[in-house]
Each structure stands twice: as C-alpha cells, then as structure tokens.
Amino acid sequence: MQPHYNLLLYHNTSQMTKLITILLVSFVTLSANAQRNESQREVVAALKTLNPSFSGNAENCIRYDVYAFKYKKVWIVALNESENVDSFIINAPRTEESTYVASFHFTQGLGKIIPNPFYYKQKNKRKEVNDLELYPYYKLKWSGKKAMKGLLYTEITDKTVRPKFFLWRVFAKKQDELKTEAGSLKPGFENSINGTNDELEKETSEAIETPTAQEVITEEVPEKKSKLFGKD
C-alpha cells in the first residue's frame, strides 16, 4: 500500500510542476506580447505625427502608410498597417541583402528618433526608391545621423572591425592600458613565483666588473660626454 501511495504522490507532484511551468511560460509570453503591442502603439503614434511618404491599400483592402527616412545612401522605410508597424532598410551597410528586414528593436529605436524634430527635416521632393514614389521624405540631420549610426551598428554588426562610436574608444583605451600593465608585470611576477629573481640579481652583479686602466684609456669617454651635453 505504501509504495502505491508514494507513486501516486510523485505522479501528482510531477503533474503540478508541469502545470506551474506552463502557467509561468504563458504569463511571461503574455507579458512580452503586451509590452510589444504597447511599444508598437507608441511607434505608430509617433509616425502618425508625420505626413506619409506613400499610401496604398493592401489586398485585403486595409490601408497602409509608408514613411521614408534617408541616412546618407541608406533608406529606412517604416510600413504602418492598422496597429502594426515594420521597418525595412534599403542599401543597408554590412550586408548583401538589397532590402533588409529590420528587427523590432530597430523599429523601436526609429520610434525614439521621430518625436525629436531636430533630428531630421522634411524634404518636399519626389524620390523613387524600389518602385515607390516617395513624397515627402525625411532626411536625417547631424544628431539624427549619429543616432541612426548607432542603431545600424546594433542592428547589423561588423564582426571584423571594432565600431568607433559611443564608449568603444574608452573601452579600447582601457583595454590597451591593461594589456600594457599586464605585459610589464608578468615577467617580474613569474620570476618571483619561480624564485629566479635572486639568481638573476646574483648573475647580474657577477657580470659587472670594474674596468681596468687600459680599458678606460681605450674608450673615448670624454668625447661621448661632450656630445651628450652639447659641448664642442
């Protein structure tokens, strides 16, 4: 009777653990989806403050708006359909894709740029990009370019070159200093561990001998000293 009871208790405990795990995963998923939906609404609200660069209707007759931002030779296109928003990068750096589908993190960053009117200016010119006739579009200013450069570096990383922006210069300088200190301390530290410092000092002191009179005469000491102090 006792083994059967223990087996039943183990089975119930296992089922309860699985149920709790499922509930926790569901809660985390729902929270993440809620946060994403809230972030999307914020980006859509920011885009709605601008004039769309292009508008159309999808196959399901739902209206969509396109907002185009120009950074150097790169075009960032934000597509807003209902409460959904996606970003695409045309002529993206560090990738061979002609049209790069950006992550939602990048779209969030774009949403942070839009509320600041000093980061871009509206250009009332027509531009044709990938068969889209854009009017107007938004060209990033100096501050907007700096922000977009950081976003592009985090979105499309360059694994061959260390980026030179934000705090990377400070980190690189500190890393070089640590390497230099480690290189200068390592030999002495290893010698002290191995007990060879005393032997080296002994060998050095034995190698230093008092020069004889003949050696002093053969060496041109006065001439070297005069050159050292700049005397003729």
Side-chain angles (χ1 to χ4, degrees):
M1 186 68 181
Q2 187 67 22
H4 179 71
Y5 174 77
N6 291 337
L7 181 62
L8 182 61
L9 180 62
Y10 173 79
H11 179 73
N12 292 336
T13 304
S14 179
Q15 292 295 329
M16 183 62 68
T17 303
K18 290 181 180 179
L19 179 60
I20 293 175
T21 303
I22 293 173
L23 290 175
L24 287 175
V25 171
S26 301
F27 176 76
V28 171
T29 303
L30 291 174
S31 299
N33 291 336
Q35 291 179 357
R36 181 184 175 90
N37 293 336
E38 180 63 26
S39 298
Q40 278 193 334
R41 285 192 289 268
E42 291 177 358
V43 177
V44 170
L47 289 171
K48 292 293 186 182
T49 62
L50 304 177
N51 295 318
S53 303
F54 181 85
S55 298
N57 292 318
E59 294 180 356
N60 52 5
C61 297
I62 297 179
R63 178 184 173 85
Y64 66 86
D65 294 321
V66 173
Y67 302 85
F69 300 84
K70 190 174 187 297
Y71 165 70
K72 296 183 178 181
K73 295 182 180 181
V74 180
W75 286 91
I76 296 91
V77 177
L79 175 63
N80 169 225
E81 182 182 8
S82 183
E83 294 298 322
N84 300 317
V85 59
D86 293 293
S87 297
F88 305 88
I89 307 173
I90 302 173
N91 298 330
R94 299 177 295 280
T95 181
E96 296 180 356
E97 300 180 31
S98 58
T99 302
Y100 179 90
V101 181
S103 66
F104 184 67
H105 169 76
F106 181 88
T107 304
Q108 281 182 302
L110 179 63
K112 300 298 183 182
I113 293 176
I114 295 173
N116 194 332
F118 299 102
Y119 277 27
Y120 58 90
K121 59 181 176 181
Q122 179 175 319
K123 302 289 288 186
N124 295 320
K125 296 181 180 180
R126 297 187 182 276
K127 284 283 185 179
E128 187 171 340
V129 180
N130 282 20
D131 297 330
L132 288 177
E133 187 174 323
L134 305 175
Y135 179 87
Y137 65 92
Y138 301 89
K139 187 175 181 179
L140 296 178
K141 296 182 181 179
W142 184 78
S143 298
K145 288 180 179 179
K146 290 184 64 178
M148 182 55 64
K149 182 179 180 180
L151 274 177
L152 288 173
Y153 261 120
T154 56
E155 178 70 18
I156 310 172
T157 58
D158 188 350
K159 298 181 180 180
T160 60
V161 180
R162 183 168 55 189
K164 298 180 180 178
F165 71 102
F166 296 146
L167 297 177
W168 282 104
R169 294 181 182 178
V170 179
F171 293 153
K173 183 179 179 181
K174 188 63 179 177
Q175 188 177 20
D176 293 337
E177 291 176 357
L178 292 175
K179 286 182 179 179
T180 303
E181 292 175 2
S184 61
L185 293 176
K186 186 177 180 180
F189 181 75
E190 289 181 347
N191 291 336
S192 63
I193 291 296
N194 297 329
T196 57
N197 274 344
D198 296 337
E199 295 179 5
L200 290 174
E201 291 178 0
K202 183 178 179 180
E203 293 175 0
T204 304
S205 62
E206 290 176 355
I208 300 175
E209 298 178 359
T210 305
T212 61
Q214 183 65 27
E215 291 175 344
V216 174
I217 293 174
T218 55
E219 295 179 356
E220 298 178 357
V221 177
E223 182 179 351
K224 290 183 178 179
K225 285 186 175 181
S226 63
K227 290 183 178 179
L228 178 63
F229 291 96
K231 296 180 180 179
D232 296 332

